[in-house]
Amino acid sequence: MLNIDIIYHNPNIPKLEKIDKGDWIDLRASVGGSFRRGDFALIDLGVSMRLPDGYEAHIAPRSSTFKNYGIIQTNSIGIVDNSYSGTNDVWKMPCFFTRDTVIEPNDRICQFRIVKKMEPVSFTEVTELSNIDRGGFGSSGRK
């Protein structure tokens, strides 16, 4: 079991806990606000963590985030590597608002999971690849 040191910057937000179903852990808005269509904001998630060496966190919207709030995470997925581990390295979710909405403190807006970092890689330049071409971009499912 991995142990993660965590600081909660808002004492009114429930402590994080692993749920029985699924592998992702919900994160909550630490502060609220009213947002207008077309706004961009970094939603404060109210936590700082020290991840174990060799691991990173992936942050993504919850499945209901767009339906409930009309927000899109601007970078599609957030990556927090274990060097972002200071007391004031507060996790945030960059959001674009597609409609007027209100986010309240404690609203569950995204989720994260801990993932092993990719092993070091090297690249070897070649003039052609030995596999058969699949048919180009967007080719799966074509007959």
Side-chain angles (χ1 to χ4, degrees):
M1 178 179 286
L2 292 176
N3 183 54
I4 298 170
D5 295 334
I6 186 168
I7 293 175
Y8 294 95
H9 296 281
N10 179 341
N12 299 317
I13 298 297
K15 306 296 187 218
L16 297 184
E17 57 185 45
K18 174 70 177 76
I19 59 174
D20 292 335
K21 294 181 181 179
D23 293 326
W24 293 72
I25 301 166
D26 287 342
L27 290 166
R28 299 168 183 269
S30 177
V31 295
S34 295
F35 302 94
R36 309 271 308 160
R37 180 179 185 213
D39 282 352
F40 168 80
L42 292 171
I43 305 298
D44 187 319
L45 301 173
V47 294
S48 298
M49 296 185 213
R50 188 180 63 78
L51 302 175
D53 288 339
Y55 289 87
E56 62 192 20
H58 293 187
I59 299 173
R62 297 180 74 241
S63 59
S64 61
T65 297
F66 185 80
K67 175 183 68 106
N68 292 339
Y69 304 102
I71 58 177
I72 296 172
Q73 185 172 347
T74 58
N75 55 346
S76 300
I77 187 168
I79 307 296
V80 180
D81 66 41
N82 65 349
S83 69
Y84 192 73
S85 61
T87 297
N88 296 307
D89 290 334
V90 180
W91 290 21
K92 297 182 181 185
M93 180 183 180
C95 295
F96 176 76
F97 294 81
T98 64
R99 66 175 188 250
D100 295 355
T101 194
V102 173
I103 295 178
E104 300 290 344
N106 207 25
D107 282 349
R108 295 181 302 156
I109 62 166
C110 60
Q111 57 193 339
F112 80 101
R113 69 179 298 155
I114 304 300
V115 179
K116 274 194 164 200
K117 287 185 176 185
M118 182 171 67
E119 296 293 323
V121 299
S122 64
F123 297 94
T124 303
E125 186 174 352
V126 297
T127 56
E128 77 182 63
L129 302 173
S130 61
N131 288 0
I132 297 171
D133 289 347
R134 196 174 90 176
F137 186 82
S139 63
S140 65
R142 265 198 277 167
K143 295 186 187 220

